[in-house]
Amino acid sequence: MRPDGPSAHAKMSDGRRSTQRQWWLRLSLSLVIGAGFCFALIRRIELVPPDPWVPAWVLPSYLATLVAYFVFRAGRWHYLVAPLADPREESIGLRTTLPVSMAGTMWIMVLPLRLGELARPLFLAQKSKIGVGQALGTVAIERVVDGLFVCGLFFASLPLLPEVHGEQALAVERLRSLGLLASGGLFAVLVVLLAMALSPVRVGRLVAATIGRVIPRLADKLELLARSVAEGLAALPSVAPLLKFLAGTVAYWGANALGTWLLARGCGLDISFPAALAMMSVLGISLLIPGGPGQFGIFHYGMILGLSMFVSEAVVHEQGSVFIFWMFVTQLSMGVVLGVIAQRMLALDWRATLSGSPSAPPDTSPGTEPSDPHS
């Protein structure tokens, strides 16, 4: 039934006010994080280089790799999420999942603290009957696979790197330790996800019996979310679609590595392709950490860490500043442009990313009730 009466309206208003307070809190926290990064970065690089211009071939070449980067990144998700659709109904095609993933990628890049990870499940719930919790399971798998993949690339590229000494050698050792720590954490998350996939009911009960007791008001929501995520993981596709997802992952990171190498060379950094692989991997690991709006700060710091393995602080400040500037600006700009186009193609309600629940135009015809997007 539709909510009626002043009490229902009061509850809705309280819910909206609570959501607004949470968003202001998150935004304030992310701005503090961004300001901290800005203070730390301003002594190491030029955020806007005084002379950012590069040879004419550089940006068109890099933008071409970015197109492949975004298409493969968004398209591979289809092979994880399509099997979640009810086989008794119409299947979900790439024409739906690709724009949904493109739009979601934009919000991942724009929103602070990785809150944009919710965008794809929320948008998908507007265009299908796949529950948000189920789709979140595929997002979790994708994030873990990406994290393990870049960690593997990092360690695979280390033997191929030129011999370094002094500060660069110390940077490599520090990042080697960081890579081992990140790999261990990601393997632990993978074990948890596999346990959720094998026993969704038990996981739901466990969450309710532990976290639910500490935060009683969230007990039901936590249990429902855990079970939905677990059921989504349990419905993961067979070997063939998983291999297609992994092939898309290889193509996505391959395009990223090629673009990183081309842009670095065009900005005057004499680095090899294995060095570009290692540098891209360090950035990928860094971006697993929640940061400020637009990934500002955490992106730059990840790039500085990667460059510090091969070049001096002076080179980082000069050519490195130009390299980081163009990589940040072009990736963010193209992500936003493609995301806006994708949103408009499917008429997605972007407010879902801010409210935390899927929203779609309700059916207002006589005698009908709006459907529950979580079903």
Side-chain angles (χ1 to χ4, degrees), residues 293-338:
Q295 299 175 332
F296 179 82
I298 192 68
F299 183 100
H300 299 73
Y301 205 73
M303 292 298 298
I304 291 172
L305 287 175
L307 282 170
S308 67
M309 295 188 292
F310 313 109
V311 298
S312 66
E313 287 287 331
V315 174
V316 170
H317 191 271
E318 295 297 328
Q319 293 96 321
S321 293
V322 177
F323 173 50
I324 295 170
F325 169 78
W326 281 118
M327 179 169 279
F328 179 73
V329 169
T330 51
Q331 283 196 16
L332 184 60
S333 300
M334 183 167 285
V336 169
V337 169
L338 293 176

Side-chain angles (χ1 to χ4, degrees), residues 77-87 91-92 124 128-139 228-237:
W77 188 54
H78 171 79
Y79 299 106
L80 291 181
V81 78
L84 299 178
D86 190 335
S91 61
I92 298 178
L124 189 64
S128 73
K129 294 187 177 180
I130 296 176
V132 172
Q134 288 181 303
L136 271 176
T138 65
V139 171
S228 297
V229 170
E231 289 167 4
L233 291 170
L236 283 175

Side-chain angles (χ1 to χ4, degrees), residues 97-350:
T97 58
L98 182 61
V100 162
S101 191
M102 282 280 192
T105 298
M106 175 188 69
W107 288 104
I108 292 171
M109 298 177 75
V110 170
L111 291 182
L113 306 177
R114 297 204 69 89
L115 295 173
E117 296 287 5
L118 282 170
R120 282 182 294 170
L122 292 169
F123 287 152
L124 189 64
Q126 294 179 23
K127 296 299 175 181
S128 73
K129 294 187 177 180
I130 296 176
V132 172
Q134 288 181 303
L136 271 176
T138 65
V139 171
I141 285 290
E142 184 187 79
R143 292 277 71 78
V144 172
V145 168
D146 276 343
L148 291 173
F149 192 84
V150 293
C151 286
L153 277 180
F154 175 72
F155 288 111
S157 64
L158 288 182
L160 305 175
L161 300 180
E163 187 176 354
V164 292
H165 305 278
E167 292 181 0
Q168 286 75 43
L170 289 174
V172 170
E173 289 306 312
R174 284 196 297 266
L175 290 171
R176 190 195 303 270
S177 300
L178 177 63
L180 288 172
L181 182 64
S183 299
L186 289 164
F187 271 117
V189 173
L190 181 61
V191 169
V192 172
L193 292 175
L194 290 175
M196 293 176 74
L198 294 172
S199 186
V201 175
R202 288 183 181 179
V203 170
R205 290 175 182 169
L206 179 62
V207 171
T210 53
I211 302 176
R213 288 185 177 180
V214 179
I215 316 174
R217 292 179 62 185
L218 294 179
D220 293 339
K221 291 182 179 180
L222 288 171
E223 183 178 7
L224 178 62
L225 178 61
R227 288 187 179 181
S228 297
V229 170
E231 289 167 4
L233 291 170
L236 283 175
S238 57
V239 175
L242 279 177
L243 289 177
K244 292 178 181 178
F245 166 74
L246 292 176
T249 299
V250 172
Y252 152 50
W253 286 108
N256 196 358
L258 177 61
T260 300
W261 179 66
L262 287 174
L263 184 61
R265 302 283 294 189
C267 292
L269 293 166
D270 186 16
I271 63 172
S272 64
F273 187 74
L277 274 179
M279 188 163 50
M280 177 199 70
S281 302
V282 171
L283 175 61
I285 295 170
S286 301
L287 291 179
L288 294 173
I289 303 170
Q295 299 175 332
F296 179 82
I298 192 68
F299 183 100
H300 299 73
Y301 205 73
M303 292 298 298
I304 291 172
L305 287 175
L307 282 170
S308 67
M309 295 188 292
F310 313 109
V311 298
S312 66
E313 287 287 331
V315 174
V316 170
H317 191 271
E318 295 297 328
Q319 293 96 321
S321 293
V322 177
F323 173 50
I324 295 170
F325 169 78
W326 281 118
M327 179 169 279
F328 179 73
V329 169
T330 51
Q331 283 196 16
L332 184 60
S333 300
M334 183 167 285
V336 169
V337 169
L338 293 176
V340 169
I341 293 172
Q343 270 191 197
R344 293 181 68 86
M345 281 175 59
L346 294 183
L348 297 170
D349 186 355
W350 61 270

